[in-house]
Amino acid sequence: MPDDPYVEGVSRLLAPGERLLAVAKTDVAAGVGAPEPPAEPATAGGASGGPGALGILLNVLSPLVVFAAGDRLVDRVLYGVAGRGTPGSAASRLALADRQAATRPGLRDRVLAATDQRLLLCVTGPTSVWSGGDDRSPAELEVAWSVPRAAVAAARVGWHRLNPKRLRIDFTDGSWAAFTVPIAQSGDPLRGIAAALT
């Protein structure tokens, strides 16, 4: 971990006395994840029926026609299940934080960090598509989501489809979420997170 470029940035985000155990540049796994937490009463919209079979078929055939149920079906077929949990669970709040980070301008790396007190998902500052990531400073990290260590029930790295480096983190509320690195990258940082959490 000492040579990881994100150690300095994550260390700046820690509380006094908190000790960093492991850091991994990762992505929240693609696939069907936990549903978003319930909306606040003031922002909750009206209920709507599903798109039906035609809507799902159109979603598969044309990426410009978007239906949530169709997106979930395509994700399940292509990527499988990447998380489970009830709305408002730890995995649900993680999925929402990741989606919110993805909608912000610029490309942002996800950095998972395990400390002696918390599990954190951090995001880097924005960069442009054409820079190749050269203008992204590891020191420009911010916490997108965190849970206390006591909320983590288990963590392990294993195979999922063709990827042998998928980290699954189970939470004490019964939810779980998965993280991956590209096939060409080493899985050692994810194994370090799993070891730090167990």
Side-chain angles (χ1 to χ4, degrees):
M1 183 179 77
D3 60 346
D4 191 294
Y6 295 106
V7 169
E8 180 184 342
V10 172
S11 296
R12 292 180 182 161
L13 301 172
L14 302 183
E18 189 173 10
R19 196 167 45 94
L20 182 62
L21 303 175
V23 173
K25 178 181 173 276
T26 184
D27 288 312
V28 176
V32 177
E36 286 190 18
E40 296 296 323
T43 61
S48 64
L54 178 61
I56 293 171
L57 179 63
L58 287 173
N59 186 263
V60 171
L61 296 176
S62 173
L64 300 177
V65 180
V66 178
F67 296 104
D71 286 344
R72 286 191 301 276
L73 176 65
V74 171
D75 284 347
R76 182 178 291 274
V77 170
L78 294 179
Y79 304 109
V81 178
R84 289 253 163 98
T86 59
S89 64
S92 173
R93 292 188 314 272
L94 167 70
L96 178 63
D98 184 58
R99 281 184 219 121
Q100 288 173 340
T103 60
R104 294 166 61 190
L107 299 175
R108 297 170 187 271
D109 288 337
R110 285 9 173 225
V111 178
L112 198 60
T115 74
D116 58 348
Q117 299 175 20
R118 298 181 290 168
L119 172 66
L120 303 104
L121 178 69
C122 304
V123 293
T124 62
T127 185
S128 66
V129 175
W130 307 112
S131 70
D134 295 336
D135 61 344
R136 188 178 301 140
S137 169
E140 293 180 15
L141 288 172
E142 60 185 65
V143 177
W145 169 89
S146 71
V147 291
R149 279 290 294 274
V152 176
R156 64 186 175 281
V157 176
W159 278 86
H160 176 74
R161 300 203 176 182
L162 297 176
N163 189 345
K165 301 170 287 198
R166 183 164 128 154
L167 170 66
R168 176 177 162 155
I169 299 176
D170 294 285
F171 301 102
T172 54
D173 62 8
S175 65
W176 63 273
F179 300 86
T180 59
V181 293
I183 295 286
Q185 290 183 6
S186 170
D188 289 344
L190 292 182
R191 289 185 196 91
I193 295 283
L197 292 173
T198 55

